[in-house]
Amino acid sequence: MSFQPFLSVTGTAAALLQPNIDTDVIIRVDHLTKGRSEVGPFAFEALRYTTDGKEDPSFPLNKAQFRGSPILLTGANFGCGSSREPAVWALAGLGIRCLIGTTFGDIFVANCAQNGILVVSMTAAQLDEIVLAAADATAITVDLSTQTVNTEGGRMWTFDVLPAAKESLLLGLDDIELALADAPLIAAWQKHDRVVRPWIWATTQRQ
């Protein structure tokens, strides 16, 4: 599944700093039957809306200055819980391209990389600085090629990213597509290996 390559993103950064927001909070289980393009409106449903179905004005992404923010600043252990990939689809449906926080669920991070969302891990002190810099809706830029977060005022923070995730995001290709791109090399290796290790490729018919 190809997706829009992630080179860099510039925009406001909304802060949702509540810890332990799990994938069930990101997208409730009763919406998992919906398609990839249909789950965005239901992202953070319990947080975004009041009991009468109206938008909660206190929710960061409902505030006028942060509506449509492509960057979300998160609390610790964001994306924990079940491994449901639609949680990432829901975030993408809101227009989010980058998450910046301290810690994240491991499977959630992998799902993000396979769906075009960059996850940036920072120290608590660094995250506090970014939250402060972005609080007045000043745009920040996250550049994957240089692995930096920058403000218009010249502040800069660096971050690490797994090489495989970086390649996938920059090219806009998931793991399967990256493997298929090397199909000629794989076929050449198989042809050579059939010669040097024919017993590996032998098939035995059971009687």
Side-chain angles (χ1 to χ4, degrees), residues 144-161:
L144 180 55
S145 61
T146 60
Q147 295 178 209
T148 57
V149 178
N150 305 273
T151 69
E152 294 177 343
R155 297 288 306 277
M156 183 181 75
W157 300 265
T158 60
F159 60 87
D160 295 324
V161 61

Side-chain angles (χ1 to χ4, degrees), residues 33-58:
T33 58
K34 294 180 172 63
R36 182 188 305 271
S37 62
E38 300 173 309
V39 290
F42 305 98
F44 300 117
E45 186 175 21
L47 301 178
R48 287 172 65 197
Y49 303 103
T50 60
T51 54
D52 60 0
K54 296 180 180 179
E55 286 191 349
D56 185 341
S58 68

Side-chain angles (χ1 to χ4, degrees), residues 16 37 58 66 104 117 126 142 166 174 191 195 197 201:
L16 180 59
S37 62
S58 68
F66 294 112
F104 298 87
I117 294 180
Q126 289 172 323
V142 182
K166 182 174 183 178
D174 63 18
K191 182 178 180 180
V195 174
R197 299 191 306 165
W201 300 89

Side-chain angles (χ1 to χ4, degrees), residues 114-207:
Q114 296 296 292
N115 287 275
I117 294 180
L118 172 63
V119 176
V120 174
S121 293
M122 294 283 189
T123 66
Q126 289 172 323
L127 179 62
D128 287 344
E129 291 173 349
I130 296 172
V131 169
L132 184 61
D136 61 353
T138 297
I140 66 174
T141 297
V142 182
D143 190 310
L144 180 55
S145 61
T146 60
Q147 295 178 209
T148 57
V149 178
N150 305 273
T151 69
E152 294 177 343
R155 297 288 306 277
M156 183 181 75
W157 300 265
T158 60
F159 60 87
D160 295 324
V161 61
L162 291 174
K166 182 174 183 178
E167 179 184 24
S168 179
L169 287 162
L170 286 173
L171 295 177
L173 302 174
D174 63 18
D175 286 346
I176 293 175
E177 291 169 316
L178 288 173
L180 289 175
D182 288 330
L185 293 175
I186 295 171
W189 178 88
Q190 290 175 329
K191 182 178 180 180
H192 173 75
D193 198 57
R194 287 178 186 274
V195 174
V196 299
R197 299 191 306 165
W199 62 91
I200 297 294
W201 300 89
T203 58
T204 302
Q205 183 176 359
R206 292 184 177 181
Q207 299 299 324

